[in-house]
Amino acid sequence: MSRIIGPGSTVGVLGGGQLGRMFAMTARRLGYRIHTLTPDHDSPTAQIADLEIVAPYDDLDAVRRFAQGVDVVTFEFENVSAAAAACAEEHAIVRPNRGALAIAQHRVREKRFVADLGAPVTPFAAVATAADLAAAIDRIGCPSVLKTTVFGYDGKGQALVAKPEDAAAAWESVGRRDAILEAFVDLDRELSVIGARGVSGEWSAFGPIENVHRHHILDVSTAPADVDGATAALALDITRQVMDALAYIGVLCIEFFLTRDGRLLVNEIAPRPHNSGHLTIEACRASQFEQQLRAICGLPLGSPDLLQPAAMANLLGDVWDDGEPEWAAGLASPSVTLHLYGKAAPRRGRKMGHLTALAPTTADARARVLAARDALKRVRMPSGI
Ligand code: AMP
């Protein structure tokens, strides 16, 4: 039985975004201190943290100082270099382990790992040159999607290859960098499962949660997902297998595709809490952030039970297009909760916050959260009219 990192200890968060912020809020509730390392000053996480170290992730002196000052290091951002993760590991307990990180941050390694476990994935091929791409298109066919192997999120670094003639443009658009070609999936819906695995291998999960994307960015999540029991059980089973195989400690999300002909495919692994799990803050006994904290600190996992159907809608920068949102109108329904991440500049496509609604049914929760978001954006009448 490994040592418990109890309340009063200090948790280090690599990364400064909203995931770190919500994690830090939970950790504070449980009496922990938080340090964060991030390249940007006054990050969403730093606003909640006891100590902010502002440095690039590859500044190994800064990573060393950061790791030496905490009892355990975790991530809210997975694109940390292998050197930085190894450096942190020399000075602190790092959870999840850097092997898991190395797999999840690289699309080809990730797909191979999942396929080797026997879990279903869409046909794929590694692409390092334009000639590889031509061969991959021959093998996989069109339509297909070309994605950079690293630093891809929210659809960035992706190009559709609708027909073989699109190859050159797609190769240019991903920056002629190492990539993966995936067969395009005829999607019915997208699902996610968020698993938590503790130091002794104990495991629990949220989900499946159902996710709708807009312009490749998550728009709305609902739980429970409207899927049959066998599909739900398979998604949970795959998540557990992946986490066991990685000897994972912490929270991990698997994004799945459900095809029109009923097949469940693994899309990708996020080695951290996930946007689709934000609704667990209000809807579940223990949130994804509390599970992350409990898991990495060697505490018993909390209960992921869903207390009520829930829906979450992201608030992107465009909610601010016509000026300050109508906060009072958006919060008029008592079943709606607002989260804002403390970001100053509401750029288009930037995740600024989210709303969560609880209701007796998922359809109601969805309707309530969408109505609340619409109310935020309601066009204001000029004064005097
Ligand atoms: P990703 O960054 O891989 O999660 O991709 C972002 C979004 O693009 C996914 O959530 C899907 O909506 C879409 N997408 C990605 N890969 C595929 C694929 N192979 N087939 C169809 N849609 C895809």
Side-chain angles (χ1 to χ4, degrees), residues 5-82:
I5 301 165
S9 307
T10 303
V11 182
V13 179
L14 268 171
Q18 59 270 15
L19 297 170
R21 178 186 181 89
M22 288 180 270
F23 172 81
M25 286 172 157
T26 304
R28 287 215 152 191
R29 174 166 61 77
L30 276 90
Y32 287 83
R33 296 196 168 271
I34 294 287
H35 292 186
T36 177
L37 183 144
T38 139
D40 308 303
H41 173 57
D42 194 37
S43 66
T45 308
Q47 291 168 13
I48 311 297
D50 296 273
L51 179 80
E52 167 195 42
I53 296 180
V54 179
Y57 299 117
D58 55 5
D59 178 345
L60 297 187
D61 284 337
V63 172
R64 186 174 307 115
R65 244 186 314 128
F66 164 74
Q68 281 169 344
V70 303
D71 298 292
V72 58
V73 170
T74 193
F75 304 89
E76 73 95 52
F77 167 77
E78 65 265 39
N79 288 317
V80 170
S81 70

Side-chain angles (χ1 to χ4, degrees), residues 143-208:
S144 48
V145 188
L146 187 66
K147 304 178 179 179
T148 52
T149 50
V150 292
F151 290 114
Y153 65 97
D154 290 345
K156 293 190 172 63
Q158 294 194 15
L160 181 70
V161 185
K163 48 191 188 312
E165 301 78 62
D166 295 342
W171 183 233
E172 281 304 319
S173 109
V174 302
R176 291 189 256 160
R177 281 182 293 149
D178 281 353
I180 183 170
L181 187 76
E182 296 180 7
F184 191 82
V185 177
D186 187 17
L187 282 175
D188 176 32
R189 55 188 73 193
E190 297 189 56
L191 306 172
S192 57
V193 171
I194 299 169
R197 188 173 181 279
V199 290
S200 310
E202 67 276 27
W203 185 84
S204 71
F206 303 103

Side-chain angles (χ1 to χ4, degrees), residues 313-324:
N314 270 332
L315 301 178
L316 302 185
D318 52 86
V319 174
W320 278 253
D321 271 357
D322 297 313
E324 194 63 16

